[in-house]
Amino acid sequence: MAEKKPIKITETILRDAHQSLIATRMTTEQMMPIVDKLDKVGYHSVECWGGATFDASLRFLKEDPWDRLRKFRDGFKNTKLQMLFRGQNILGYRPYGDDVVEYFVQKSVANGIDIIRIFDCLNDLRNLKTAVKAANKEKAHAQVALSYTLGDAYTLEYWVGKAKEIEEMGADSICIKDMAGLLLPYRATELVTALKEATSLPIQLHTHYTSGVASMTYLKAVEAGVDVIDTAMSPFALGTSQPATEVMVETFKGTPYDTGFDQKLLSEIADYFRPIRDHALESGLLNPKNLGVNIKTLLYQVPGGMLSNLTSQLKEQGAEDKYYDVLEEVPRVRKDLGEPPLVTPSSQIVGTQAVFNVLMGERYKMATKETKDILKGKYGEAVRPFNEDVKKKCLGDEINDCITCRPADLIPDELETLENEMKQWEQQDEDVLTYALFPQVAVDYFKYRQAQQTKMDETIADTKNGSYPV
């Protein structure tokens, strides 16, 4: 029998699973009662923070994301907590000064994060170095994620070269981040084998079930020596989420990769989440379409979330009949813009520009601000040169604004300015970071928080005065 090498599992139910299926709407109150059981499973880690959870907590749930993290840290006694971090963009949509990135990492670790998965939409490693150094300094585990995609430029040599650079950067592990479910089973064998030969770092694989191949991809990757896979408890698995935890556990049972997890315990956890899933289906929060297989993902290399985005943009313009024209335009725009992986925010930039190109009847008659910024180098360096004709047409006189340096080198320290702007709302150190990422949403939340506290103070005062009914 082969050497025993149990596969490690990162559970995504508290972050990516509900982000992918119900727009990150699970509340802290819904999650906390099951934390004790999740903590007993024996996971490598539980991904519970970062990504869109920060924005959604504030904007839609009126919750403090920092408070959620502290509650998780208190509840998980034996399990490492993991987050997703967008490189220099942190959890927002623009690049921040190095001082904000460093402070955010420091506070994430202080509040309970053990593993930080850091990625960049162009795989420009310069955009990750500040976050990696900060994680090293805080003694957290710095995992660098490669945004996986397909295209002429993305050869095995490309991925191996990136992996070697990541090791030299001081990262603790590498994640293959397959956000669109494009990695096919036998490709996974090749890729994992090549990365394991090129680097001594542990390799983790993250994929989505969108195209229908993810479980088979995990099987081949595990056989090829991958160290960790990301799965989701079955009520929030499959579709645009990850393969189901229980299925992968059962798959490797009695093999050298056996996790040793208790299926009875996993079944109790699934029973807890099932009514939450059923309620999301009844309320319309969970669209049944998100649970199916979308083979267009493989045909057009467009992630599931991007497909629904394109549909809604065309619907607004009354141009739904142009759907396939736009799908065919996406790869062309992507090539013009240096063939970037399609992940936040590059997926939105490419998709929106493709819609404009089709609706205007002339390519690049109108270029969005974000398209111009990519062409100027403000998002970093793409894997391929930009289309020079497109660049001239879109930028015109602005062509002199192009940069080749790391974009954040041009951003001055901004923490002090941000602190001065939001001083009146500050109740904890972390509030300045909340404000830095989402200024307007943060202020709305701070006002809400203040109103709630005033209400509570009045209730306590009434009780003390004897005028409040007990």
Side-chain angles (χ1 to χ4, degrees):
M1 198 168 181
E3 180 197 350
K4 197 165 169 16
K5 191 200 169 193
I7 184 63
K8 294 173 184 172
I9 288 181
T10 290
E11 175 59 62
T12 68
I13 186 83
L14 302 186
R15 204 285 295 179
D16 200 11
H18 73 107
Q19 179 175 319
S20 297
L21 292 178
I22 59 167
T24 335
R25 292 297 201 280
M26 219 186 283
T27 64
T28 306
E29 198 179 333
Q30 285 176 310
M31 299 186 229
M32 286 311 296
I34 200 65
V35 161
D36 187 50
K37 283 185 178 172
L38 283 167
D39 193 34
K40 291 185 170 83
V41 173
Y43 290 118
H44 168 69
S45 64
V46 169
E47 192 202 35
C48 61
W49 212 60
T53 62
F54 202 95
D55 185 3
S57 295
L58 294 163
R59 193 185 298 265
F60 303 114
L61 307 176
K62 292 289 177 269
E63 290 185 7
D64 179 6
W66 298 100
D67 187 49
R68 175 185 291 189
L69 176 54
R70 288 189 284 265
K71 283 177 176 166
F72 282 153
R73 185 67 284 164
D74 287 344
F76 282 102
K77 313 286 186 198
N78 313 298
T79 312
K80 288 183 173 171
L81 302 185
Q82 184 168 321
M83 75 173 289
L84 182 67
F85 196 98
R86 296 177 187 144
Q88 207 70 28
N89 293 0
I90 310 177
L91 305 177
Y93 303 102
R94 73 165 176 93
Y96 293 87
D98 287 335
D99 61 336
V100 181
V101 176
E102 287 160 1
Y103 194 46
F104 200 98
V105 169
Q106 185 192 324
K107 284 297 178 186
S108 301
V109 177
N111 282 281
I113 288 295
D114 301 291
I115 301 170
I116 305 179
R117 178 178 292 170
I118 310 159
F119 79 99
D120 175 65
C121 75
L122 297 182
N123 287 328
D124 184 342
L125 300 184
R126 298 175 304 171
N127 292 335
L128 308 179
K129 69 175 193 181
T130 300
V132 170
K133 271 188 191 163
N136 292 157
K137 187 182 173 192
E138 299 303 321
K139 306 271 190 293
H141 180 109
Q143 180 177 86
V144 170
L146 287 166
S147 299
Y148 181 79
T149 190
L150 304 174
D152 297 342
Y154 298 98
T155 60
L156 214 47
E157 290 71 32
Y158 168 85
W159 299 117
V160 165
K162 289 283 178 193
K164 287 176 177 171
E165 281 184 66
I166 289 167
E167 189 163 22
E168 284 162 20
M169 262 173 94
D172 297 297
S173 64
I174 295 171
C175 173
I176 303 161
K177 179 178 162 60
D178 179 22
M179 54 280 164
L182 299 174
L183 183 59
L184 299 171
Y186 288 100
R187 291 270 177 208
T189 302
E190 284 175 18
L191 182 56
V192 171
T193 303
L195 293 183
K196 293 297 285 183
E197 283 171 4
T199 169
S200 60
L201 295 181
I203 309 290
Q204 183 154 358
L205 177 55
H206 170 94
T207 189
H208 289 251
Y209 211 88
T210 322
S211 62
V213 300
S215 293
M216 293 182 283
T217 297
Y218 275 169
L219 178 62
K220 298 310 285 182
V222 169
E223 289 175 351
V226 88
D227 298 279
V228 195
I229 53 173
D230 289 9
T231 65
M233 287 302 303
S234 56
F236 283 92
L238 308 186
T240 49
S241 178
Q242 279 77 46
T245 304
E246 307 96 305
V247 174
M248 297 318 297
V249 166
E250 199 62 23
T251 298
F252 297 118
K253 202 173 177 181
T255 75
Y257 315 108
D258 196 330
T259 61
F261 289 1
D262 178 355
Q263 282 284 20
K264 185 174 174 295
L265 177 60
L266 292 176
S267 175
E268 288 168 12
I269 295 167
D271 288 345
Y272 177 82
F273 283 108
R274 205 165 286 114
I276 299 173
R277 192 267 316 268
D278 293 345
H279 179 70
L281 269 169
E282 287 159 19
S283 69
L285 188 56
L286 175 52
N287 186 334
K289 278 184 185 171
N290 290 346
L291 294 169
V293 165
N294 196 332
I295 199 63
K296 290 196 192 90
T297 304
L298 290 176
L299 296 177
Y300 299 103
Q301 297 168 34
V302 176
M306 188 176 167
L307 281 171
S308 51
N309 223 353
L310 293 178
T311 314
S312 63
Q313 282 185 22
L314 290 170
K315 198 173 183 180
E316 277 171 28
Q317 301 297 324
E320 286 160 284
D321 58 320
K322 303 283 189 204
Y323 180 64
Y324 286 102
D325 295 337
V326 170
L327 275 187
E328 282 166 22
E329 177 65 3
V330 165
R332 290 195 284 263
V333 172
R334 182 177 171 234
K335 205 159 191 182
D336 291 337
L337 302 187
E339 220 173 352
L342 295 177
V343 64
T344 304
S346 55
S347 51
Q348 290 89 331
I349 297 168
V350 168
T352 303
Q353 189 60 55
V355 169
F356 276 125
N357 286 2
V358 169
L359 296 186
M360 294 278 179
E362 182 191 326
R363 302 187 77 228
Y364 304 104
K365 185 176 183 179
M366 185 193 152
T368 66
K369 178 190 179 294
E370 291 76 15
T371 296
K372 289 180 179 181
D373 282 348
I374 271 204
L375 291 168
K376 287 176 186 174
K378 290 192 174 178
Y379 283 88
E381 187 182 11
V383 64
R384 280 279 166 91
F386 302 127
N387 180 325
E388 277 303 318
D389 293 336
V390 168
K391 199 170 165 180
K392 282 173 194 160
K393 184 171 184 177
C394 292
L395 296 183
D397 295 341
E398 293 176 57
I399 206 147
N400 297 324
D401 299 343
C402 293
I403 62 167
T404 55
C405 64
R406 180 182 75 113
D409 288 343
L410 303 175
I411 304 171
D413 283 353
E414 48 185 338
L415 207 49
E416 198 178 321
T417 309
L418 292 162
E419 272 180 332
N420 290 332
E421 283 175 18
M422 57 74 63
K423 215 160 208 51
Q424 69 177 109
W425 305 109
E426 194 165 2
Q427 292 186 10
Q428 57 178 354
D429 291 348
E430 292 80 2
D431 285 345
V432 69
L433 293 165
T434 304
Y435 175 81
L437 264 51
F438 305 103
Q440 190 52 58
V441 175
V443 169
D444 291 346
Y445 170 74
F446 295 152
K447 286 176 181 171
Y448 166 83
R449 180 175 69 181
Q450 201 169 57
Q452 293 300 103
Q453 283 164 349
T454 304
K455 206 185 286 183
M456 198 180 286
D457 291 345
E458 286 168 358
T459 303
I460 291 165
D462 288 346
T463 310
K464 282 179 179 170
N465 296 336
S467 60
Y468 190 77
V470 177

